[in-house]
Amino acid sequence: MACPPSCYRALELSAAFFALPDEEKVKVRRPAEGSKAPLPAGYGRQPAHAADKNEYLVIFDPKLGFNVYPAEPAGFRETVEECHCKLTELGLLIQEILNECMGLPPGFLSDYNNDRSFDHMTAKRYFPETEEEEKIGFSEHEDSNCITFIFQDGVGGLEVLKDGHWVSAEPIDGSIVVNIGDVIQVLSNGKLKSATHRVVRKPEHRHSFAFFFNLHGDKWVEPLPEFTAKIGEAPRYRRFLCKEYQRLRVRNKTHPPARPEDVVHITHYAI
Ligand SMILES: O=C(O)CCC(=O)C(=O)O
Ligand SMILES: [Fe+2]
Protein backbone atom coordinates (compact mmCIF):
# COMPACT_ATOMS: atom_id res chain seq x y z
CA MET A 1 0.00 0.00 0.00
CA ALA A 2 1.47 3.39 -0.96
CA CYS A 3 2.24 5.85 1.79
CA PRO A 4 0.96 9.47 1.48
CA PRO A 5 3.85 12.02 1.37
CA SER A 6 2.64 13.74 4.57
CA CYS A 7 3.18 10.47 6.43
CA TYR A 8 6.83 10.28 5.41
CA ARG A 9 7.29 13.88 6.42
CA ALA A 10 5.60 13.10 9.77
CA LEU A 11 8.08 10.26 10.31
CA GLU A 12 11.04 12.61 9.75
CA LEU A 13 9.56 15.26 12.02
CA SER A 14 8.87 12.69 14.75
CA ALA A 15 12.57 11.71 14.63
CA ALA A 16 13.45 15.38 15.24
CA PHE A 17 11.00 15.47 18.17
CA PHE A 18 12.36 12.29 19.78
CA ALA A 19 15.89 13.67 19.47
CA LEU A 20 14.94 16.56 21.84
CA PRO A 21 16.06 16.39 25.51
CA ASP A 22 13.76 14.37 27.81
CA GLU A 23 12.70 17.47 29.77
CA GLU A 24 11.22 18.92 26.55
CA LYS A 25 9.47 15.70 25.59
CA VAL A 26 7.78 15.11 28.95
CA LYS A 27 6.01 18.48 28.65
CA VAL A 28 4.00 17.08 25.72
CA ARG A 29 1.47 15.01 27.65
CA ARG A 30 -2.22 15.26 28.54
CA PRO A 31 -3.57 12.67 31.03
CA ALA A 32 -6.71 10.73 30.05
CA GLU A 33 -8.35 11.59 33.41
CA GLY A 34 -10.60 14.62 33.06
CA SER A 35 -10.56 14.23 29.27
CA LYS A 36 -12.82 12.02 27.14
CA ALA A 37 -9.77 10.50 25.42
CA PRO A 38 -9.53 6.69 25.74
CA LEU A 39 -5.74 6.96 26.46
CA PRO A 40 -3.39 9.76 27.55
CA ALA A 41 -2.54 11.93 24.53
CA GLY A 42 1.04 12.95 23.76
CA TYR A 43 4.41 11.65 24.91
CA GLY A 44 5.00 8.47 26.86
CA ARG A 45 7.83 6.09 27.54
CA GLN A 46 7.84 2.43 28.55
CA PRO A 47 8.83 2.12 32.23
CA ALA A 48 12.46 1.09 32.79
CA HIS A 49 11.41 -2.39 34.06
CA ALA A 50 9.24 -3.11 30.98
CA ALA A 51 10.46 -5.60 28.39
CA ASP A 52 9.55 -3.16 25.60
CA LYS A 53 12.15 -0.49 24.93
CA ASN A 54 10.51 2.40 23.13
CA GLU A 55 9.07 5.88 23.59
CA TYR A 56 5.99 7.15 21.79
CA LEU A 57 3.62 9.98 21.02
CA VAL A 58 -0.15 9.28 20.90
CA ILE A 59 -2.23 11.33 18.46
CA PHE A 60 -6.03 11.23 18.06
CA ASP A 61 -8.32 12.61 15.37
CA PRO A 62 -7.43 16.34 15.48
CA LYS A 63 -11.16 17.27 15.42
CA LEU A 64 -11.66 15.75 18.88
CA GLY A 65 -9.42 18.28 20.63
CA PHE A 66 -7.59 15.58 22.66
CA ASN A 67 -4.13 16.18 21.19
CA VAL A 68 -1.10 17.97 22.59
CA TYR A 69 1.69 18.91 20.21
CA PRO A 70 5.33 19.82 20.67
CA ALA A 71 6.34 23.36 19.75
CA GLU A 72 9.29 21.89 17.90
CA PRO A 73 10.02 20.87 15.20
CA ALA A 74 8.19 23.50 13.15
CA GLY A 75 5.31 22.14 11.06
CA PHE A 76 4.84 19.06 13.24
CA ARG A 77 1.18 19.68 14.02
CA GLU A 78 0.05 20.46 10.45
CA THR A 79 1.91 17.48 9.00
CA VAL A 80 0.71 15.01 11.61
CA GLU A 81 -2.88 16.23 11.28
CA GLU A 82 -2.80 15.79 7.53
CA CYS A 83 -1.27 12.34 7.94
CA HIS A 84 -4.04 11.35 10.40
CA CYS A 85 -6.68 12.58 7.95
CA LYS A 86 -5.18 10.62 5.02
CA LEU A 87 -4.92 7.44 7.07
CA THR A 88 -8.54 7.78 8.18
CA GLU A 89 -9.58 7.93 4.50
CA LEU A 90 -7.41 4.88 3.85
CA GLY A 91 -9.02 3.06 6.78
CA LEU A 92 -12.49 3.72 5.37
CA LEU A 93 -11.40 2.45 1.95
CA ILE A 94 -9.76 -0.73 3.25
CA GLN A 95 -12.84 -1.34 5.41
CA GLU A 96 -15.05 -1.21 2.27
CA ILE A 97 -12.77 -3.73 0.55
CA LEU A 98 -12.80 -5.97 3.62
CA ASN A 99 -16.61 -5.75 3.75
CA GLU A 100 -16.76 -7.16 0.22
CA CYS A 101 -14.06 -9.79 0.80
CA MET A 102 -15.90 -10.99 3.91
CA GLY A 103 -19.15 -11.30 1.89
CA LEU A 104 -21.01 -8.97 4.27
CA PRO A 105 -24.10 -6.97 3.22
CA PRO A 106 -23.01 -3.74 1.46
CA GLY A 107 -22.15 -1.03 3.98
CA PHE A 108 -22.29 -3.38 6.99
CA LEU A 109 -18.84 -2.52 8.41
CA SER A 110 -19.17 1.22 7.75
CA ASP A 111 -22.52 1.28 9.63
CA TYR A 112 -21.20 -0.81 12.51
CA ASN A 113 -17.88 1.06 12.80
CA ASN A 114 -19.28 4.56 12.30
CA ASP A 115 -17.48 6.56 14.99
CA ARG A 116 -13.84 7.62 14.67
CA SER A 117 -13.17 8.75 18.24
CA PHE A 118 -11.21 5.64 19.31
CA ASP A 119 -8.87 5.71 16.28
CA HIS A 120 -5.37 6.84 17.14
CA MET A 121 -1.90 7.00 15.76
CA THR A 122 1.39 6.47 17.59
CA ALA A 123 4.76 7.77 16.51
CA LYS A 124 7.44 5.56 18.08
CA ARG A 125 11.16 5.56 18.59
CA TYR A 126 12.89 2.32 19.55
CA PHE A 127 16.14 2.45 21.48
CA PRO A 128 19.22 0.80 19.98
CA GLU A 129 19.98 -2.77 21.12
CA THR A 130 22.47 -3.26 23.94
CA GLU A 131 24.74 -6.14 24.95
CA GLU A 132 23.07 -6.65 28.33
CA GLU A 133 19.37 -6.45 27.51
CA GLU A 134 17.04 -8.55 25.38
CA LYS A 135 16.65 -7.20 21.89
CA ILE A 136 12.90 -6.68 22.23
CA GLY A 137 11.57 -3.28 21.16
CA PHE A 138 7.89 -4.26 21.23
CA SER A 139 7.04 -7.75 22.42
CA GLU A 140 5.03 -10.24 20.41
CA HIS A 141 1.32 -9.34 20.17
CA GLU A 142 -1.77 -9.01 18.02
CA ASP A 143 -3.41 -5.60 17.69
CA SER A 144 -6.77 -5.39 19.50
CA ASN A 145 -8.43 -3.06 16.95
CA CYS A 146 -9.87 -3.57 13.41
CA ILE A 147 -7.14 -2.60 10.94
CA THR A 148 -3.61 -1.23 11.56
CA PHE A 149 -1.33 0.64 9.19
CA ILE A 150 2.42 0.74 9.91
CA PHE A 151 5.10 2.71 8.16
CA GLN A 152 8.72 2.77 9.22
CA ASP A 153 12.13 4.24 8.45
CA GLY A 154 14.88 2.18 6.81
CA VAL A 155 16.28 0.62 10.02
CA GLY A 156 13.99 -2.44 10.10
CA GLY A 157 13.03 -4.69 13.00
CA LEU A 158 9.31 -5.35 12.42
CA GLU A 159 8.65 -9.10 12.21
CA VAL A 160 5.52 -11.14 11.52
CA LEU A 161 4.92 -14.71 12.70
CA LYS A 162 4.19 -17.01 9.76
CA ASP A 163 3.88 -20.81 10.14
CA GLY A 164 5.76 -20.66 13.44
CA HIS A 165 8.69 -18.57 12.08
CA TRP A 166 9.45 -14.89 12.45
CA VAL A 167 9.59 -13.22 9.04
CA SER A 168 11.10 -9.77 8.73
CA ALA A 169 8.81 -7.10 7.23
CA GLU A 170 11.70 -5.35 5.47
CA PRO A 171 11.22 -1.60 5.09
CA ILE A 172 10.16 -0.77 1.53
CA ASP A 173 10.39 2.90 0.75
CA GLY A 174 6.96 4.51 0.38
CA SER A 175 5.00 1.44 1.53
CA ILE A 176 2.55 0.79 4.37
CA VAL A 177 2.11 -2.53 6.17
CA VAL A 178 -1.58 -3.40 6.69
CA ASN A 179 -2.51 -5.71 9.57
CA ILE A 180 -5.86 -7.23 10.50
CA GLY A 181 -6.65 -6.84 14.22
CA ASP A 182 -8.54 -8.91 16.80
CA VAL A 183 -11.93 -7.26 16.16
CA ILE A 184 -11.98 -8.51 12.54
CA GLN A 185 -10.74 -11.92 13.69
CA VAL A 186 -13.69 -12.23 16.06
CA LEU A 187 -16.29 -10.83 13.60
CA SER A 188 -15.10 -13.40 11.04
CA ASN A 189 -15.16 -16.15 13.72
CA GLY A 190 -11.44 -16.78 13.18
CA LYS A 191 -11.60 -16.95 9.35
CA LEU A 192 -9.39 -13.85 9.09
CA LYS A 193 -6.38 -13.88 11.41
CA SER A 194 -5.05 -11.01 13.46
CA ALA A 195 -1.33 -10.79 12.60
CA THR A 196 1.13 -11.78 15.36
CA HIS A 197 4.01 -9.33 15.18
CA ARG A 198 6.86 -7.83 17.21
CA VAL A 199 9.72 -5.37 16.86
CA VAL A 200 13.35 -6.35 17.52
CA ARG A 201 15.90 -3.67 18.23
CA LYS A 202 18.74 -2.81 15.88
CA PRO A 203 22.08 -1.06 16.41
CA GLU A 204 20.42 2.29 15.59
CA HIS A 205 17.30 4.10 16.80
CA ARG A 206 14.27 3.01 14.76
CA HIS A 207 11.25 5.23 13.98
CA SER A 208 7.77 4.09 12.98
CA PHE A 209 4.16 5.22 12.92
CA ALA A 210 1.18 2.94 13.59
CA PHE A 211 -2.38 4.04 12.84
CA PHE A 212 -5.10 2.08 14.64
CA PHE A 213 -8.46 2.09 12.86
CA ASN A 214 -10.63 1.17 15.78
CA LEU A 215 -14.20 0.53 16.91
CA HIS A 216 -15.88 2.80 19.45
CA GLY A 217 -15.40 1.37 22.95
CA ASP A 218 -19.17 1.00 23.54
CA LYS A 219 -19.59 -1.41 20.63
CA TRP A 220 -20.18 -5.11 21.27
CA VAL A 221 -18.02 -7.52 19.32
CA GLU A 222 -19.11 -11.07 18.40
CA PRO A 223 -18.84 -13.50 15.49
CA LEU A 224 -21.23 -12.45 12.69
CA PRO A 225 -24.03 -14.73 11.43
CA GLU A 226 -22.32 -14.94 8.00
CA PHE A 227 -19.50 -16.85 9.73
CA THR A 228 -21.63 -18.84 12.19
CA ALA A 229 -25.42 -19.60 11.97
CA LYS A 230 -25.62 -18.99 8.20
CA ILE A 231 -22.92 -21.58 7.49
CA GLY A 232 -23.74 -23.94 10.35
CA GLU A 233 -20.64 -23.14 12.43
CA ALA A 234 -20.54 -22.59 16.18
CA PRO A 235 -19.21 -19.22 17.42
CA ARG A 236 -15.61 -19.51 18.59
CA TYR A 237 -15.74 -16.37 20.77
CA ARG A 238 -18.19 -15.02 23.32
CA ARG A 239 -19.35 -11.45 22.87
CA PHE A 240 -17.47 -8.66 24.62
CA LEU A 241 -17.60 -4.91 24.98
CA CYS A 242 -14.80 -3.37 22.98
CA LYS A 243 -13.62 -1.00 25.72
CA GLU A 244 -13.50 -3.83 28.24
CA TYR A 245 -11.03 -5.76 26.08
CA GLN A 246 -9.00 -2.61 25.42
CA ARG A 247 -8.85 -1.93 29.17
CA LEU A 248 -7.45 -5.42 29.78
CA ARG A 249 -4.91 -4.94 26.99
CA VAL A 250 -3.70 -1.61 28.45
CA ARG A 251 -3.42 -3.35 31.85
CA ASN A 252 -1.09 -5.95 30.33
CA LYS A 253 1.34 -3.07 29.80
CA THR A 254 0.74 -0.96 32.91
CA HIS A 255 0.62 -3.95 35.31
CA PRO A 256 2.52 -6.74 33.53
CA PRO A 257 1.37 -10.08 35.03
CA ALA A 258 4.09 -12.18 36.64
CA ARG A 259 3.01 -15.31 34.74
CA PRO A 260 2.99 -15.16 30.91
CA GLU A 261 -0.25 -17.17 30.83
CA ASP A 262 -2.02 -14.31 32.64
CA VAL A 263 -1.36 -11.82 29.83
CA VAL A 264 -4.74 -11.12 28.18
CA HIS A 265 -5.08 -11.92 24.45
CA ILE A 266 -8.20 -12.36 22.36
CA THR A 267 -8.18 -16.02 23.46
CA HIS A 268 -9.58 -14.64 26.75
CA TYR A 269 -12.98 -14.67 24.96
CA ALA A 270 -12.51 -17.96 23.11
CA ILE A 271 -15.24 -20.56 23.65
O1 LIG B 1 6.66 -0.07 15.38
C1 LIG B 1 6.16 -0.95 14.68
O2 LIG B 1 6.60 -1.25 13.57
C2 LIG B 1 4.98 -1.76 15.17
C3 LIG B 1 4.32 -1.22 16.39
C4 LIG B 1 3.18 -2.08 16.83
O3 LIG B 1 3.10 -3.23 16.56
C5 LIG B 1 2.09 -1.48 17.62
O4 LIG B 1 2.20 -0.30 18.00
O5 LIG B 1 1.09 -2.18 17.90
FE1 LIG C 1 1.09 -3.95 16.89
Side-chain angles (χ1 to χ4, degrees), residues 61-254:
D61 181 341
K63 289 197 286 296
L64 300 168
F66 296 157
N67 290 336
V68 268
Y69 296 101
E72 269 187 82
F76 186 84
R77 177 178 186 151
E78 296 73 12
T79 310
V80 163
E81 290 191 348
E82 181 175 340
C83 172
H84 196 289
C85 174
K86 291 278 182 226
L87 294 174
T88 302
E89 285 170 14
L90 192 60
L92 293 168
L93 177 67
I94 300 283
Q95 178 168 258
E96 279 313 305
I97 296 170
L98 211 48
N99 195 90
E100 199 175 319
C101 296
M102 290 168 75
L104 299 174
F108 174 83
L109 286 177
S110 55
D111 285 346
Y112 173 62
N113 181 15
N114 59 356
D115 183 303
R116 305 272 50 89
S117 49
F118 278 61
D119 293 354
H120 63 279
M121 186 161 87
T122 56
K124 291 198 191 71
R125 177 167 88 155
Y126 294 86
F127 301 111
E129 65 188 35
T130 64
E131 287 284 313
E132 311 77 51
E133 291 163 335
E134 292 234 34
K135 294 206 182 337
I136 291 302
F138 200 127
S139 23
E140 157 178 2
H141 66 284
E142 294 84 29
D143 293 345
S144 61
N145 56 311
C146 299
I147 307 165
T148 306
F149 302 131
I150 299 169
F151 52 96
Q152 49 178 329
D153 65 12
V155 172
L158 176 62
E159 297 182 342
V160 182
L161 194 62
K162 187 166 188 290
D163 305 327
H165 299 283
W166 288 105
V167 179
S168 164
E170 289 298 330
I172 301 173
D173 226 5
S175 75
I176 297 185
V177 175
V178 181
N179 278 337
I180 292 286
D182 290 334
V183 167
I184 299 290
Q185 178 167 316
V186 171
L187 295 179
S188 71
N189 201 29
K191 185 103 196 282
L192 296 174
K193 299 279 182 290
S194 176
T196 303
H197 56 287
R198 69 179 185 182
V199 176
V200 293
R201 292 193 284 157
K202 298 284 175 178
E204 299 160 67
H205 278 110
R206 169 183 185 263
H207 302 87
S208 68
F209 264 71
F211 180 88
F212 302 96
F213 194 70
N214 207 356
L215 263 190
H216 190 281
D218 289 337
K219 290 281 180 175
W220 287 91
V221 185
E222 64 186 321
L224 297 173
E226 283 77 6
F227 294 92
T228 53
K230 287 191 185 166
I231 56 167
E233 289 200 7
R236 295 193 185 154
Y237 301 92
R238 57 196 164 85
R239 78 197 291 254
F240 62 88
L241 193 59
C242 198
K243 65 182 171 199
E244 187 51 28
Y245 179 46
Q246 310 232 334
R247 187 181 66 78
L248 294 171
R249 290 289 302 259
V250 170
R251 239 190 107 75
N252 285 342
K253 296 279 176 192
T254 55

Side-chain angles (χ1 to χ4, degrees), residues 14-34:
S14 78
F17 166 73
F18 286 122
L20 294 174
D22 286 348
E23 57 271 26
E24 288 304 314
K25 292 188 278 190
V26 295
K27 288 181 195 158
V28 188
R29 187 173 172 88
R30 179 174 289 164
E33 300 82 43

